[in-house]
Every structure is written in C-alpha cells, then in structure tokens.
Amino acid sequence: MNANPAGNGGSPETWGEGRLAALEVVEAALPPPVTEGMVLEATDIHVSFGGVRALRGASLRIPAGTIVGLIGPNGSGKSTLFDVINGFTVPDSGRVRAFGEDITDLNPWNRARLGMCRTFQANHIDPNLTVYENLITGAFLSIGGGVFTSVFQFPAPRRGQRQAAELTRAVARLMDLEKVLDVRAGVLSFGGQRRAEIGRSIMSRPRLLLLDEPSAGMDSHEASDLLGLVTRLQSDLGFAVCLIEHFVRIVFDHCAIVYALAEGQVIAEGTPDEVSSSPAAQEHYLGEQ
C-alpha cells in the first residue's frame, strides 16, 4: 500500500468551509503570534568541529510574520546554523535571541516551550504509529495527563485530551491527511510523511517553525504544492517560518527574505530579487543552478 494524500484536497486558495473551520480550531489553539519586531536574531555565530570551521560569523534575523529562506551549496553551514538556532549545537561564540530572550544557552526542549518547532531533512515520524498517533504526539507540551495517556488511553483528565484530539483532526484536514488518520505512517508516500511531520510541528503550537529541506525527495511540482501550503498556513496563522530549501525558485517564490550562505558565511541577504542579482550568490551558488 502506498497511501498518497497529496493533491487530493485542492489548492490552499480553494479551501472550502470544512478547511476554514479546521483553520479556526488550529488558530484558537496556537499562542498569540509575534506581530512586530524580530522573532529571532542569531548574531556573529562561529562554530568549529575539530579543524573544520562550519560557521564563520554568520548572522540571521527573522522578522515577525515572515518566511525566511536559507540557500547555499552543500557544506555551506545551513544545517549547522539551524542546529544553533534550535539548540542542538552550542556556538563557540555569538548569541541567539528569540521572542525577546537570550536563548544561547537554552536547551532544545525549553526552546520548544517558548514556541520554536523544527522538522528535519530526513523524516522523523514513527512509521509504526498511525498518522493520528504521530500528529497527537506533537501536543505533548499541552495535553492534560501527558501524550502517552492520550495515545494509549490510560485513565487521565480528559479535557486536554479531547482538545488535542479535536486539534489533531483539524490539523489533519489542513494537511490533507484526514482520510489516512488511521493508516500506519510508514506506508504513506514520502510527501504524505512530510505533511505528517509538518502537521506534528503545528500541533506543538509554534511561534517559529524551522523547516530543514521540507521538499527533500520530492519533485519540483510536489515541492511547490507543499511550500504553497506552508505559505498559506503561515499567512493565516501568523507564525514565522525559516526554511532551508534546495529548490531555489521555490524559495524565491515563497520567501520574503533570503540568506545565501557559502563556506560558513552569509554572502548575500535581502529580498529574492536582491539575492538573485548578488554577484557573490551568483558566483558561489546560483550560477550552478
């Protein structure tokens, strides 16, 4: 079986009443979005692994309510910068601020509590759980009684679990996964698994969503559909998004701000037009596209 929900629900621009109702459920569950200023600032980040300098003074700013894209060749430092932002890697020097706080020394799970959620280049869903079970695990910070009592139905206060179940079904509808909620996630297509992972991140109530190569393994059409969905959700729900993506045209189509990295440094930043016309970005990366 190769369950593939992608493409069966219509484009985000044609969402009907059912999806609009689901959007209201999700919007009510999320924390108030950051509406002004900077959601995140990473300043002068340096990271070395042994003799390899992965980042050399990289800086990044994510304004409220925007989608920011990171592009660059393999080994340019994009994922390392994500790891610093997410708390998986402690920088040798430099600072990270998010939601008005210095979070440089904060561990990943406490960053998640502040509203920072991340997906990875390789899918991190559990293939042996159903889509429903994978999605609801994203609500572990807010389910009364804990996520395991919800998944395995142990006795516990039910209000938070009912709310999490409602939210799970609403997110599934938005991600075009409603018809496969009871399907084991491991049999979904790669695109379906990616939607499940992004949906689980939305279940975690993000104020900043970090997407590491969300379209990895997809063709350009599938990638464009997925990024179109992310753009619609970002616009309607108000969280900020930062993404690493190898489909440059899709980045330029969906991101308000783009950073180009090479050899651990930011070599160009600005609007898509500014970055696409940057001589440094052309020399180090775009000229190879």
Side-chain angles (χ1 to χ4, degrees):
M1 178 180 180
N2 184 26
N4 184 4
N8 295 333
S11 69
E13 291 77 9
T14 61
W15 283 359
E17 291 185 5
R19 286 193 170 184
L20 292 175
L23 188 69
E24 291 182 1
V25 171
V26 176
E27 186 175 20
L30 295 182
V34 180
T35 58
E36 59 184 20
M38 293 293 155
V39 172
L40 182 134
E41 295 178 271
T43 305
D44 195 25
I45 303 298
H46 290 258
V47 174
S48 294
F49 301 108
V52 178
R53 299 177 65 188
L55 291 174
R56 300 188 292 169
S59 295
L60 171 73
R61 289 158 58 91
I62 304 174
T66 61
I67 302 180
V68 174
L70 304 184
I71 61 173
N74 291 336
S76 62
K78 303 185 300 296
S79 291
T80 301
L81 183 56
F82 250 41
D83 286 344
V84 170
I85 291 171
N86 191 220
F88 289 164
T89 296
V90 178
D92 300 325
S93 62
R95 309 300 297 178
V96 180
R97 291 184 59 83
F99 317 117
E101 300 182 28
D102 189 321
I103 64 167
T104 309
D105 301 317
L106 205 62
N107 55 44
W109 51 93
N110 282 323
R111 297 187 195 205
R113 292 181 185 279
L114 291 177
M116 184 183 298
C117 303
R118 177 183 178 177
T119 68
F120 295 83
Q121 183 173 353
N123 281 333
H124 277 57
I125 62 172
D126 189 325
N128 296 312
L129 295 180
T130 67
V131 172
Y132 178 90
E133 291 165 342
N134 270 282
L135 289 175
I136 205 169
T137 57
F140 75 98
L141 292 176
S142 56
I143 293 177
V147 65
F148 292 104
T149 61
S150 186
V151 171
F152 297 108
Q153 301 181 352
F154 295 144
R158 297 298 180 188
R159 180 180 178 185
Q161 295 175 31
R162 287 196 300 270
Q163 291 173 336
E166 182 183 19
L167 178 60
T168 299
R169 296 190 179 279
V171 167
R173 174 167 286 190
L174 294 181
M175 302 305 297
D176 201 15
L177 295 168
E178 192 174 28
K179 295 180 180 179
V180 293
L181 275 173
D182 296 326
V183 172
R184 188 171 60 85
V187 305
L188 294 182
S189 68
F190 192 88
Q193 292 181 22
R194 182 63 80 190
R195 285 171 180 256
E197 186 171 20
I198 294 175
R200 185 178 61 188
S201 293
I202 294 173
M203 291 288 298
S204 299
R205 307 173 74 237
R207 291 193 288 170
L208 171 60
L209 183 59
L210 304 172
L211 303 177
D212 190 351
E213 297 276 9
S215 69
M218 300 181 185
D219 62 30
S220 59
H221 178 74
E222 293 174 316
S224 182
D225 283 350
L226 181 64
L227 266 294
L229 176 59
V230 169
T231 299
R232 173 65 186 266
L233 292 172
Q234 184 278 324
S235 176
D236 288 343
L237 298 173
F239 50 74
V241 175
C242 185
L243 62 92
I244 297 172
E245 181 54 61
H246 67 280
F247 282 118
V248 174
R249 176 45 54 193
I250 292 174
V251 172
F252 288 166
D253 286 345
H254 293 283
C255 295
I257 299 171
V258 178
Y259 286 78
L261 278 72
E263 299 177 352
Q265 297 176 302
V266 174
I267 57 171
E269 62 181 277
T271 66
D273 286 344
E274 290 170 339
V275 172
S276 65
S277 61
S278 162
Q282 289 283 348
E283 177 185 354
H284 287 275
Y285 185 55
L286 296 178
E288 301 175 1
Q289 300 299 302

